[in-house]
Amino acid sequence: MDIRKQFPVLDQYTYLNTAGSGLLTKAAQQWRNSHDIWFLEQGSNFRLHQAAFLQDVRVQLAKFFHTGAENTFLIPNFSFGFTTLLQGLPKKTSFLLIEDDYPSLTFPVLNGGFAYEYVTFDEHIEEKIIDKIKTSQPAVFAFSIVQYISGLKINLEFIKRLKQEFPQLILIADGTQFCGTQDFNFDTSGLDMLVGSNYKWMLGGYGNGYILIKEEIKDQLFNNTATVSLPDVPFLKERSLLSLSFEPGHLDTLNFGTLLQSLYFFEQHGFEKIEQQIKKISTTAKKELGNRGLLSDVRMMQQDNSTIFNIPAQEKLIQKLHDANILFSPRGGGIRFSFHFYNSQADLEKLLEIIDSK
């Protein structure tokens, strides 16, 4: 089966913009149609089993991240989840952040009045992080695993070492630009919490995300905000404080069902094979763009690579890319390209041909 046939947009464009938005599979679109027909024909009856359905989503998502469903919470997007998480931390909590990280991560910390310090992402990022932790002793290090502008990536083994050396430090990661690009074991990662939206590399469509929380950190959240007893009405009495905090109100079965279809897609086609294709195309892209002097020295030095590349912007080049139906994103004053498993060597060669043209 040609996996690219699941994505009709590839017939029209050279799609190098998954970092902006992932694609929707034909299978997910067909399921969404069926879902809306159920609603059309059944009204409230179609929600009778929504609790069990959403639990299936949690279970499948937890399986994907090698963790437990009891530690998996469904949220509409990263921004909601992270802002809610901050409400569950004491106001005296101090943060270490990465300069120019995703605004939905940095802004809520600043706007919330938390104490914070920055580190800049360069070739000495790991040493800088350790030095800041030793000198400033922040309570939380919050960061994106992959930086959305540059594609620079925090080394996953470094995260584990960081937790071993500073076990009291709370590690919170944004996985939006990372999860869905390689197999990731949350339970052994060293992270305390992983938060993300699914509309990019997870191909889950819009309006759904996740927050994974280690069991040992749960009792540190919302200690100062829970001033009344939990609801005891029948439809809420089984819910925990964290569930009520991160999953208030209804959850959209259309949006989370789309994510479920994507998780089934990964499972059906073998995520190991998908990961291998991502690594292959991204490694080749890094080599070719690097040989042309288009990537930063820091990006070239990284061994643990991401799927995102940012090259200098030129108006003439941008116009050529538009004319050739190549989709990308302008970010940070440059041109950002991103490669997923549905990208082929031909896609890369087309991009390089345009870059090389005078």
Side-chain angles (χ1 to χ4, degrees):
M1 175 183 176
D2 183 358
I3 206 168
R4 286 171 59 94
K5 290 183 178 179
Q6 277 290 317
F7 306 97
V9 68
L10 301 180
D11 295 331
Q12 305 177 60
Y13 299 100
T14 300
Y15 198 84
L16 304 182
N17 197 31
T18 300
S21 175
L23 301 180
L24 188 70
T25 65
K26 282 184 177 180
Q29 184 267 332
Q30 291 165 0
W31 178 88
R32 287 164 67 100
N33 284 351
S34 298
H35 176 278
D36 282 348
I37 290 173
W38 298 336
F39 189 18
L40 180 71
E41 296 179 348
Q42 296 294 320
S44 62
N45 282 339
F46 107 112
R47 292 279 292 185
L48 290 177
H49 305 291
Q50 59 95 17
F53 177 82
L54 292 168
Q55 183 60 16
D56 287 343
V57 177
R58 292 187 193 93
V59 169
Q60 195 70 18
L61 190 60
K63 179 181 176 182
F64 184 80
F65 287 119
H66 305 282
T67 191
E70 69 277 6
N71 299 324
T72 304
F73 300 90
L74 305 179
I75 56 176
N77 52 62
F78 169 83
S79 301
F80 171 87
F82 187 67
T83 301
T84 302
L85 171 59
L86 294 184
Q87 295 170 4
L89 295 174
K91 282 296 183 181
K92 64 180 181 180
T93 303
S94 57
F95 283 78
L96 179 62
L97 306 170
I98 296 176
E99 193 171 8
D100 296 325
D101 206 336
Y102 193 49
S104 287
L105 187 153
T106 57
F107 175 75
V109 174
L110 276 61
N111 192 53
F114 295 97
Y116 66 92
E117 289 195 50
Y118 283 125
V119 290
T120 56
F121 205 132
D122 58 22
E123 65 272 25
H124 304 296
I125 182 65
E126 295 181 7
E127 295 90 335
K128 286 184 172 182
I129 291 170
I130 291 174
D131 286 345
K132 279 289 186 183
I133 293 171
K134 289 180 176 179
T135 58
S136 301
Q137 298 183 335
V140 176
F141 175 36
F143 60 94
S144 297
I145 296 176
V146 173
Q147 298 294 295
Y148 80 107
I149 293 176
S150 63
L152 293 171
K153 181 180 178 183
I154 293 286
N155 184 278
L156 300 181
E157 290 303 314
F158 172 69
I159 296 173
K160 294 180 182 180
R161 296 198 306 269
L162 202 60
K163 190 61 179 179
Q164 291 171 353
E165 188 170 350
F166 306 98
Q168 300 306 312
L169 178 68
I170 298 174
L171 299 178
I172 304 174
D174 170 14
T176 304
Q177 292 289 12
F178 165 71
C179 295
T181 65
Q182 71 180 75
D183 187 46
F184 184 72
N185 189 316
F186 174 69
D187 283 352
T188 63
S189 67
L191 293 175
D192 294 292
M193 287 171 264
L194 178 68
V195 194
S197 295
N198 291 313
Y199 68 96
K200 298 180 187 287
W201 307 94
M202 294 287 288
L203 309 185
Y206 292 87
N208 64 82
Y210 53 87
I211 178 166
L212 313 179
I213 305 176
K214 288 284 177 61
E215 190 67 35
E216 53 268 29
I217 204 77
K218 285 182 176 180
D219 60 3
Q220 297 185 38
L221 299 176
F222 298 100
N223 284 336
N224 299 329
T225 60
T227 58
V228 298
S229 299
L230 298 182
D232 61 358
V233 293
F235 65 95
L236 292 178
K237 67 178 182 178
E238 301 299 326
R239 300 276 296 275
S240 67
L241 175 59
L242 290 183
S243 173
L244 290 169
S245 299
F246 289 114
E247 301 179 342
H250 78 275
L251 295 172
D252 192 329
T253 51
L254 176 67
N255 293 340
F256 285 103
T258 304
L259 168 63
L260 187 60
Q261 299 310 305
S262 179
L263 293 170
Y264 287 154
F265 179 88
F266 287 155
E267 188 172 66
Q268 176 187 356
H269 292 280
F271 193 73
E272 182 178 353
K273 292 180 180 178
I274 288 172
E275 182 180 356
Q276 289 172 353
Q277 172 59 18
I278 294 171
K279 184 176 182 180
K280 179 180 178 182
I281 189 68
S282 298
T283 299
T284 305
K286 178 182 177 181
K287 178 182 177 182
E288 295 294 343
L289 293 172
N291 287 343
R292 289 162 173 79
L294 296 174
L295 301 179
S296 69
D297 292 340
V298 183
R299 186 72 172 84
M300 291 301 298
M301 289 172 60
Q302 287 206 311
Q303 298 300 314
D304 192 4
N305 291 299
S306 81
T307 52
I308 297 173
F309 304 91
N310 198 313
I311 71 171
Q314 298 177 5
E315 188 174 337
K316 183 178 179 181
L317 175 58
I318 290 174
Q319 187 58 53
K320 286 184 176 182
L321 293 169
H322 285 310
D323 292 344
N325 285 335
I326 295 180
L327 297 187
F328 60 93
S329 293
R331 288 292 185 275
I335 304 173
R336 187 184 69 183
F337 303 107
S338 44
F339 295 83
H340 211 349
F341 65 89
Y342 40 64
N343 289 119
S344 64
Q345 180 67 24
D347 292 339
L348 176 58
E349 289 174 357
K350 182 177 180 180
L351 171 64
L352 296 174
E353 181 180 352
I354 292 173
I355 290 175
D356 292 341
S357 65
K358 302 301 180 182

